[in-house]
Amino acid sequence: MITKYEQYYNKLCDLLEEIQKKNGYPNISMAFNHWYLGAMYDLSEQEIAESIVDGKDDYGVDAIICEEENQKLTIFQFKFPSTSNNLSKEVSQSDILKTLQGFEVLRGRSDLKGKNDKFEDFKKQLKGIFIEKFELVFVSFNN
């Protein structure tokens, strides 16, 4: 028998597949990033596209929102299970540590070693901005 969480997962997967196709994302996980930013932060399609840095050498940072007027930087790490069998999987300690490393790189306290153009562009943009508030958000779809 299918559980309540599996039902939610299946419905969300259908929606995420549409988002994936529409935006040309290489995987459903990026579509989850997109959906969450739109649903929870009410970002426009353009703002979502600019916020997502997910990919190779992203230092565990999947999206970044910089609110200059509020002097706030929000960093996201998203986890979406590839199958319903992984619904009980939690964010690992290594994923958390990797995201913290990405946070330190963005703050300029650690060197940029990889080559993720969007991440690098965000780091450059932050150089001239005063940030007073930092928020790390871990989003995981699990039961």
Side-chain angles (χ1 to χ4, degrees):
M1 180 171 204
I2 192 165
T3 69
K4 174 177 62 172
Y5 291 106
E6 288 171 325
Q7 288 176 341
Y8 293 147
Y9 175 81
N10 291 336
K11 285 181 183 179
L12 186 55
C13 278
D14 291 342
L15 177 61
L16 296 179
E17 286 172 6
E18 290 177 29
I19 293 171
Q20 180 184 8
K21 287 176 190 170
K22 179 182 173 190
N23 293 281
Y25 292 133
N27 55 55
I28 202 163
S29 179
M30 285 183 78
F32 179 65
N33 305 356
H34 183 115
W35 171 80
Y36 186 87
L37 292 170
M40 300 305 291
Y41 286 81
D42 198 30
L43 297 183
S44 69
E45 293 292 315
Q46 179 68 32
E47 290 168 324
I48 292 169
E50 291 171 0
S51 297
I52 294 176
V53 298
D54 191 5
K56 186 177 180 340
D57 295 326
D58 66 10
Y59 290 92
V61 175
D62 293 331
I64 304 166
I65 297 175
C66 181
E67 299 175 59
E68 286 185 63
E69 64 282 354
N70 295 325
Q71 301 174 330
K72 181 179 177 185
L73 183 69
T74 306
I75 296 170
F76 297 87
Q77 169 57 248
F78 295 98
K79 291 295 177 195
F80 189 78
S82 55
T83 70
S84 60
N85 294 333
N86 295 334
L87 286 175
S88 61
K89 189 176 177 185
E90 295 181 7
V91 178
S92 71
Q93 183 178 4
S94 64
D95 286 334
I96 293 170
L97 293 174
K98 187 176 178 184
T99 303
L100 290 173
Q101 179 190 15
F103 173 67
E104 292 300 322
V105 169
L106 285 171
R107 291 182 62 204
R109 294 187 173 183
S110 185
D111 291 332
L112 187 66
K113 294 184 176 99
K115 185 67 175 143
N116 179 316
D117 291 336
K118 289 187 81 174
F119 187 93
E120 201 170 318
D121 288 346
F122 250 106
K123 184 173 173 15
K124 288 176 186 172
Q125 286 175 358
L126 293 174
K127 283 192 183 220
I129 300 172
F130 177 74
I131 302 293
E132 183 177 61
K133 300 174 221 150
F134 297 96
E135 183 176 36
L136 297 172
V137 179
F138 293 88
V139 180
S140 178
F141 185 93
N142 61 18
N143 59 6

